[in-house]
Amino acid sequence: MASPTQLPSWQSLAQHADTLRQRELKSLFAEDQSRFDNFSIRAPHILFDYSKNLITEETRKGLLTLAEESKVADWRDRMFGGEHINRTEDRAVMHVALRDKSGKPIMVDGKDVRPQVERELNHMRELVTSVRSGEWKGFSGKSITDIVSIGIGGSNLGPLMVTEALSAYSDDTLRTHYVSNVDGFQIAQVLERVNPETTLFIVASKTFTTLETITNANTARAWFLKGGGSESTTSQHFVAVSSNVKKAVEFGVAEKNIFEMWDWVGGRFSLWSTIGLPIALQQGFDAFEELLQGAYEMDRHFCEAPLAENAPVMLALVGIWNRNFLGYPSHALLPYDQCLHRFPAYMQQAEMESNGKSVNWEGETLTYGSVPLIWGEVGINGQHAFYQFLHQGTDIIPADFIGSVKPTIEVEGHHDALMANMFAQTEALMKGIDADQVRADLKAKGMDEARIEEIVAHKVHRGNRPTNTLLMDKVTPRSLGALIALYEHKIFTQGIIWQIHSFDQWGVELGKVLAAGIQPELADGAEVSDKHDASTRSLINYYKQAK
Ligand SMILES: O=P(O)(O)OC[C@H]1O[C@](O)(CO)[C@@H](O)[C@@H]1O
């Protein structure tokens, strides 16, 4: 397949970008009274407004042609059809199967996987019912009060983000804690707050080989045994989620307590699978089902809506425009819902582990940028931290503003204040304020001319800074499912256009291998002399001497 840069649409978009770079967003709004209607989409549970991007009808046409020439729709159907589109790992990419409510067979590798998906959902439901009802007893006959989920990356970020986002809906049945870091600080703090008699550990690891998770799981088991538990009662306190049942059994988890997932579910797309167990335990199984339903609704939209009215596709295309044609190096995610405070961290893994690649499908070095740096923070806090940089910094950072029409918790006088800020920020970033206006405003305040001239340049906001706004009805399990699926399909679409393998993550391996070699070197007394570069060697030796 030709490089995307050789596609006619890419070439004409590149030329078109030269013209558009000279344009002002505010004049595009002035010229088109229907700009909002023309450049917004009502997707399931989410209004997606992309009108505050430096695009015109011609840009959109070009981008849609790029999607067509890149065969996005074909690739989408191939993914949903269970083909091994994850070629480097020779796997299907079927997280969508986990939330498919159509009732039809879901074929992966010639086999209908619906029965096994349903079996594991039932398995989850049984555990959730038993633990939440108090029927599941610990070794001393008491019910479970605390869940400790041990896992990292995709086996942590999704459940953590979702349980935080839905915390307003959770009752007091259980407290859920997460341990991901191999830094003992985190597990020590969690273990201090829980009681071995009433704690259920979930060891969540797709591979069951991840060093951080296994180290933490061993620590948890030792703590449990020291705290009155025994080998024979471990099964009342430890369950596992993994595609590697053998390893989980070897670790000591009873087979009936292993919740299966499959190699066709990527770690960073796995919260819909048994990896979502902490969500179901904390929020109840109905809420988990609602989350799946919301994602399914977005899947249908992605599969059925014409590309021009397809929110994930347009989100992806506008991202490509900003990254590849306007050359912006990073992209901010700015939720205005406090409950979405872990959303940027979650999306960092989803976007950057997927599309942070520099070779194409054939292994050739890319001649164009792939995923921009994804970063972000709750918007309102960001306003008092890094928004200065967004408004007046030398780089232009496109951003997604994510807010809700209704707050999750209604506290009088708060939500309008919050949303006024969100709307104001996107307006300010788009319009800016020029020197004449700054002068006029200062003059109206009675400032003398000399002082005005001294500060005018510092108060100018150049504007023309692109943003998307995603307005949800309200953060609920269902709308959250739709939001996450929206971004998943954005990632997929961009990966296809960039012609990169979005579903492997070889880039995280080298560091892991080196760490496995260094760890024993830290344990013995001898100086490291003939290994590593001078910096790494000296740091290791300094550490060994000083510890
Ligand atoms: O679930 P596992 O196998 O422990 O892996 C955890 C995480 O580690 C990675 O393999 C690399 O960071 C992620 O892709 C994955 O989500």
Side-chain angles (χ1 to χ4, degrees):
M1 192 158 180
S3 157
T5 54
Q6 283 158 9
L7 294 173
S9 55
W10 187 287
Q11 291 174 3
S12 55
L13 279 164
Q15 276 176 13
H16 172 65
D18 291 339
T19 320
L20 265 217
R21 254 188 236 107
Q22 321 302 322
R23 298 296 315 267
E24 291 281 321
L25 257 172
K26 60 186 172 196
S27 64
L28 297 178
F29 272 93
E31 283 162 20
D32 177 6
Q33 294 311 305
S34 317
R35 188 170 169 86
F36 169 78
D37 292 329
N38 288 341
F39 296 99
S40 61
I41 295 173
R42 281 174 175 72
H45 307 287
I46 299 162
L47 166 67
F48 168 42
D49 170 25
Y50 61 99
S51 60
K52 291 194 186 91
N53 282 282
L54 199 54
I55 57 170
T56 61
E57 188 49 50
E58 188 184 340
T59 325
R60 178 166 54 194
K61 269 200 196 127
L63 289 168
L64 287 166
T65 310
L66 176 62
E68 273 155 25
E69 288 177 352
S70 306
K71 305 201 184 324
V72 166
D74 289 356
W75 280 104
R76 174 197 65 202
D77 296 345
R78 289 167 75 172
M79 173 172 76
F80 276 79
E83 252 188 56
H84 280 209
I85 62 163
N86 176 356
R87 258 181 32 211
T88 48
E89 294 180 322
D90 193 16
R91 289 174 185 169
V93 175
M94 281 301 277
H95 47 279
V96 291
L98 302 164
R99 58 215 192 196
D100 183 326
K101 302 292 167 197
S102 70
K104 295 183 192 145
I106 310 163
M107 302 309 287
V108 179
D109 298 330
K111 185 177 158 202
D112 179 11
V113 296
R114 183 176 292 285
Q116 68 199 64
V117 169
E118 281 172 6
R119 183 193 69 221
E120 287 311 302
L121 274 175
N122 286 334
H123 193 190
M124 283 171 81
R125 187 185 287 111
E126 278 165 24
L127 180 85
V128 168
T129 311
S130 163
V131 172
R132 284 179 62 81
S133 68
E135 199 185 298
W136 181 291
K137 304 287 187 219
F139 65 84
S140 64
K142 293 183 185 159
S143 300
I144 299 298
T145 56
D146 292 84
I147 305 295
V148 177
S149 174
I150 299 175
I152 196 165
S155 299
N156 162 262
L157 288 163
L160 173 59
M161 183 272 284
V162 172
T163 46
E164 288 289 303
L166 301 180
S167 57
Y169 302 105
S170 77
D171 52 26
D172 294 335
T173 312
L174 295 167
R175 287 178 296 269
T176 304
H177 315 263
Y178 291 90
V179 176
S180 55
N181 199 333
V182 74
D183 183 341
F185 181 86
Q186 198 182 21
I187 192 158
Q189 284 204 321
V190 168
L191 294 180
E192 242 173 52
R193 294 200 293 269
V194 297
N195 176 349
E197 292 173 72
T198 57
T199 299
L200 180 68
F201 291 92
I202 303 174
V203 185
S205 175
K206 180 177 166 184
T207 55
F208 228 82
T209 56
T210 304
L211 171 104
E212 294 89 332
T213 300
I214 302 307
T215 306
N216 280 320
N218 281 326
T219 300
R221 190 172 47 190
W223 172 87
F224 167 74
L225 293 174
K226 211 169 149 206
S230 61
E231 294 296 344
S232 65
T233 55
T234 305
S235 67
Q236 288 158 258
H237 294 268
F238 280 81
V239 301
V241 177
S242 189
S243 62
N244 194 341
V245 176
K246 190 168 161 271
K247 281 260 179 222
V249 170
E250 275 167 26
F251 174 82
V253 180
E255 205 157 342
K256 65 174 181 354
N257 288 349
I258 298 172
F259 292 80
E260 230 188 306
M261 61 186 292
W262 306 278
D263 68 1
W264 40 264
V265 181
R268 53 193 172 273
F269 302 97
S270 65
L271 70 86
W272 323 101
S273 72
T274 46
I275 287 287
L277 193 53
I279 305 173
L281 280 162
Q282 181 65 46
Q283 305 302 138
F285 205 77
D286 289 350
F288 187 65
E289 292 269 34
E290 279 285 291
L291 187 79
L292 300 183
Q293 178 64 33
Y296 177 60
E297 288 168 22
M298 190 56 77
D299 292 345
R300 295 324 312 149
H301 170 80
F302 181 50
C303 289
E304 288 160 13
L307 297 189
E309 292 153 38
N310 198 308
V313 170
M314 287 313 305
L315 186 62
L317 291 176
V318 167
I320 297 251
W321 173 248
N322 286 329
R323 173 71 175 125
N324 298 106
F325 297 99
L326 299 181
Y328 303 141
S330 89
H331 186 97
L333 295 178
L334 306 168
Y336 273 71
D337 270 291
Q338 178 63 30
C339 68
L340 292 178
H341 73 112
R342 296 295 298 171
F343 189 74
Y346 171 74
M347 287 313 308
Q348 278 186 320
Q349 188 203 16
E351 293 227 21
M352 295 200 284
E353 200 167 87
S354 299
N355 287 338
K357 315 279 165 71
S358 42
V359 294
N360 68 10
W361 289 328
E362 309 310 327
E364 297 152 353
T365 302
L366 300 184
T367 55
Y368 44 90
S370 58
V371 75
L373 168 69
I374 302 291
W375 61 283
E377 167 61 279
V378 166
I380 203 87
N381 293 341
Q383 284 180 211
H384 298 271
F386 53 80
Y387 274 36
Q388 164 65 40
F389 164 78
L390 294 186
H391 285 284
Q392 290 187 318
T394 49
D395 285 310
I396 292 187
I397 314 294
D400 293 354
F401 284 73
I402 306 169
S404 301
V405 174
K406 294 195 184 78
T408 348
I409 297 182
E410 186 84 62
V411 181
E412 209 189 323
H414 283 247
H415 197 60
D416 283 351
L418 173 72
M419 295 307 285
N421 272 280
M422 185 178 103
F423 298 134
Q425 289 298 330
T426 66
E427 188 169 36
L429 286 162
M430 186 271 281
K431 277 189 178 163
I433 178 164
D434 63 19
D436 289 346
Q437 191 59 51
V438 172
R439 280 193 191 93
D441 291 349
L442 293 177
K443 205 166 172 190
K445 284 185 185 152
M447 191 178 277
D448 68 68
E449 298 270 330
R451 179 73 184 133
I452 290 176
E453 286 317 309
E454 224 172 79
I455 62 171
V456 65
H458 302 279
K459 289 187 72 104
V460 166
H461 292 50
R462 290 186 50 212
N464 228 20
R465 296 178 183 235
T467 60
N468 293 312
T469 300
L470 293 110
L471 202 49
M472 301 164 78
D473 325 327
K474 181 177 177 175
V475 176
T476 61
R478 199 181 274 214
S479 66
L480 182 63
L483 180 74
I484 302 166
L486 167 70
Y487 276 90
E488 286 181 349
H489 297 318
K490 168 204 169 184
I491 293 165
F492 168 81
T493 302
Q494 292 191 331
I496 295 300
I497 293 174
W498 287 323
Q499 298 183 9
I500 54 185
H501 287 298
S502 301
F503 298 99
D504 63 21
Q505 55 286 317
W506 304 104
V508 300
E509 292 305 322
L510 179 59
K512 286 187 195 173
V513 171
L514 295 184
I518 291 175
Q519 194 172 340
E521 290 170 7
L522 301 183
D524 68 36
E527 254 204 5
V528 175
S529 57
D530 55 349
K531 287 187 186 154
H532 310 291
D533 60 88
S535 162
T536 311
R537 185 173 61 238
S538 307
L539 288 167
I540 291 172
N541 287 332
Y542 179 90
Y543 171 82
K544 288 174 70 156
Q545 249 175 24
K547 81 174 182 167

